[in-house]
Amino acid sequence: MKQIQHMGTNLRTLSLLIGCMQLSASMAQSFTLSTSILTNQSARSGGCVGIADMDGDGLDDLILLHQSKTLSIDYQNADGSFTSYAYGNVSNSSQWGMAVGDVDNDGHKDLVSGGNGDGVHFVEISGRGVYTPVTNLNNGSMFMQCMNMMDMNNDGWLDVFGCHDNAAPRTWLNNGSGSLTYNAWINYATSPSSDMSGNYGSTWTDFDNDGDVDLYITKCRQGVNNSSDPRRWNRLFVNDGSNNYTDQALAYGVQNREQSWSSDFADIDNDGDLDLITTNHSTTIQLFINDGTGHYTNATSGSGLEYSNFFLQTKCADLDNDTYIDLLVTEGNYYFHNNGNGTFTRITNLLPHPSQSYTLHSFAMGDMNHDGAIDIYASYGTGYVDPSGSRDDELYLNNGNSNHWIDFELEGTESNRDAVGARVTLYGAWGVQMREVRAGESYGIVNSFNCHFGLGTYTEVDSAIVRWPSGTTDRYYNLAADQWVVVNEGWTTRAKMSLVAALAGPYVQGTGLMSDGLRSAALIPLTEPYADMGYTQEGGSFVRRIPQSVLDVSGDDAIVDWVWVELRDAVDPTDVLVARPALIQRDGDVTEPDGVTPLAMGLADGSYKVVLRHRNHLGVMTADGIALSGTISVVDLTQSGTTTYGTDARQSVNGTLVLWAGNVNGDDRVKYTGSGNDRDPILISIGSIAPNNTISGYVFEDVNLDGLVKYTGSGNDRDRVLQTIGSIVPSNVRVEQLP
């Protein structure tokens, strides 16, 4: 794309022709009118609508300003239904701007809004239907346009930004307890000088990839028809890394003077930097391509975006999951499919109504039903923010297609809880994709905070890099497609350990290795088995599914099976702080689900007791607290130097300590005879009548983990149970040594 735009009309025309030839069925992405699933089916929101997880349950909700004044939130329930809660009028005047975010870090997003001279209104929400009545922020008498929340000073608390139509924008800083106070945070000096009025749309973004957040403002200043008047020039306030901002829009090539209304920064060409799209009054939609350093070139000509209208809202999203960002704008019926070659194709009737024509006035986007496809909440109206007098809002669910996807849900710890300002960069065979978390976009709308990626035909992601506002970077490798990944800040960087262990069942005496019979027989599931067994992840969310490539590795690093790892309090070992699935290799290394990386448990530096469990072995715990930090600590459970809790918690095989095998029932003991013994299930599994029968599969009765259940003969699973309880006295019981 960057090359073609400099090579003349002929190549651009050729590019367009190729793009048209390559258009697939995914371009005809379809949606189903689904308003009937909502409790509130008669909202008329006008300009301000939103989709976001308001209560921290992992499900996106709907934020509505009925008649542009009355706040209601349609909370999504676990079964996919919705329950509506009314929060009253935020104002008696129509609201032009709205943003949500967890201002007080209590797990519930709060709301700010503003209109024409009626103040800036703050609604603190602490639960479903539980809120503090509307309060007005100081110095809030302004003509509000777009609003955002952003941690401007990077102190871990969200602040508030508002576009002022009649003067410079205004900011309210968080005092660290959820209280917002006006603060002239940014020096809005420009050259030539201007009163900095006419601010319509705003985006907080790291356009230059330098790790700090910058501010782009689209400016209109209606009635100013002279393009030389600086009041209509878009502004890019660049952060120097110390929260000092200077306007450098001209230097970076984004000083659009066309009376812009709204904008969006997105990686249009999958090269790992953020490109820019603006809508304008005096010309068509404009496309600016980033050269990787934050400098932009106007690439509108021949792009297929040369349309003009009263475009109120602008948002990029991969609606058909083909790996390329598409564009949806209002006013009207404007959906532009990204052809992947620097051009777009306009697709009509994206949201067909069964009985009437429509003019889409505003919208919000997010995957409402967690099916891996971006849905749209549509509102209709007149003018700028006034709702339609005859048409209710509508929810359109994306019908999806055969393309794959992956979604990331982020939660900050050192950074603000909502992870606003964080970014996820995805690497794979398609190239690079990037998404940012934003709170308030375009012209007064809120889109899902989740980072959604379409993967096309690809079923794996090579790596995902999450960069947080704090500077922390989390890395995930070899992620399978078609899953939600919940990422807690710092989970791949803290409490690191090289955990080594051996399982008695597959352990081969004299080799120092375990067998990988399950892997060789293609029986290890791609999704970890412990959730179905009633195990609960604690202390964060972890990758539960692996790509097939992890199980294709052979040799000493071949995967033996899934295991379960816990960190417990060093003083009270009954207190499980972290619990998660992991993988174990033939040589005993316990790894992340990528099959390679040592474990990172995500807790702060400290001393913790380490527990290792397996589905048909007895678990073990270190006797002492192990000091863990960001530097990898070795915890070798095969060696006597690593003492364990209790008595005789491990079996010794020629000096190598292994986990006791034979816990077929998955309880806390191994028994050979009597009620609840572990021998009988082996016999039952093979059919009971013929003891020399065998069965294959990924089952508890396969104590040897060779993929084959045997009751008699060489390598049978029954003898392992007998050996564990002591062989001589069949009525003995081996009890797991965990508190």
Side-chain angles (χ1 to χ4, degrees), residues 370-624:
H370 269 211
D371 65 351
I374 296 294
D375 309 305
I376 298 173
Y377 188 81
S379 71
Y380 307 92
T382 61
Y384 302 104
V385 297
D386 295 326
S388 169
S390 60
R391 185 154 182 189
D392 300 333
D393 298 351
E394 293 171 336
L395 173 64
Y396 287 90
L397 295 181
N398 193 324
N399 293 324
N401 53 34
S402 61
N403 287 334
H404 299 284
W405 55 273
I406 192 168
D407 270 276
F408 292 84
E409 179 184 340
L410 276 57
E411 182 174 326
T413 51
E414 296 178 50
S415 305
N416 64 90
R417 185 165 184 158
D418 284 334
V420 176
R423 64 166 44 176
V424 181
T425 305
L426 217 63
Y427 298 86
W430 62 84
V432 186
Q433 298 185 66
M434 181 191 295
R435 305 286 188 269
E436 287 185 328
V437 181
R438 298 175 187 150
E441 297 182 83
S442 195
Y443 183 69
I445 61 174
V446 174
N447 296 290
S448 177
F449 288 34
N450 297 324
C451 295
H452 173 86
F453 298 85
L455 301 180
T457 60
Y458 302 103
T459 58
E460 297 178 8
V461 173
D462 291 346
S463 62
I465 310 300
V466 183
R467 194 190 73 193
W468 302 85
S470 67
T472 297
T473 299
D474 284 295
R475 293 175 169 84
Y476 295 84
Y477 301 94
N478 299 320
L479 297 176
D482 305 329
Q483 65 168 322
W484 285 79
V485 181
V486 180
V487 181
N488 299 91
E489 184 177 5
W491 282 103
T492 69
T493 64
R494 299 194 298 265
K496 293 183 175 181
M497 62 178 170
S498 176
L499 180 61
V500 182
L503 307 174
Y507 184 75
V508 181
Q509 184 173 339
T511 68
L513 299 172
M514 292 173 281
S515 65
D516 63 338
L518 288 175
R519 186 201 67 85
S520 298
L523 293 174
I524 298 177
L526 296 180
T527 300
E528 58 90 3
Y530 293 96
D532 291 338
M533 296 167 55
Y535 288 63
T536 302
Q537 293 192 18
E538 300 286 351
S541 297
F542 302 88
V543 176
R544 297 184 55 235
R545 183 173 172 84
I546 59 176
Q548 179 60 46
S549 58
V550 174
L551 300 179
D552 291 338
V553 176
S554 58
D556 292 358
D557 292 336
I559 300 303
V560 174
D561 200 4
W562 289 91
V563 292
W564 188 260
V565 183
E566 299 172 358
L567 292 187
R568 298 193 181 193
D569 187 273
V571 178
D572 178 10
T574 64
D575 185 6
V576 179
L577 305 175
V578 179
R580 57 164 298 182
L583 296 171
I584 188 168
Q585 301 175 342
R586 290 187 66 204
D587 59 7
D589 291 336
V590 179
T591 75
E592 295 285 348
D594 63 2
V596 177
T597 309
L599 295 177
M601 304 296 285
L603 294 182
D605 294 359
S607 181
Y608 306 97
K609 293 192 175 183
V610 179
V611 174
L612 181 70
R613 309 175 81 173
H614 181 262
R615 57 193 175 90
N616 62 18
H617 287 64
L618 298 180
V620 297
M621 182 179 76
T622 60
D624 304 314

Side-chain angles (χ1 to χ4, degrees), residues 153-201:
N153 54 0
N154 204 19
D155 64 352
W157 296 82
L158 288 178
D159 312 299
V160 172
F161 173 88
C163 285
H164 194 352
D165 199 354
N166 296 328
R170 294 180 183 174
T171 55
W172 291 263
L173 294 188
N174 197 321
N175 69 351
S177 63
S179 179
L180 298 164
T181 304
Y182 173 77
N183 187 296
W185 184 248
I186 295 177
N187 181 358
Y188 294 105
T190 62
S191 181
S193 62
S194 161
D195 64 3
M196 270 297 292
S197 62
N199 307 286
Y200 274 51

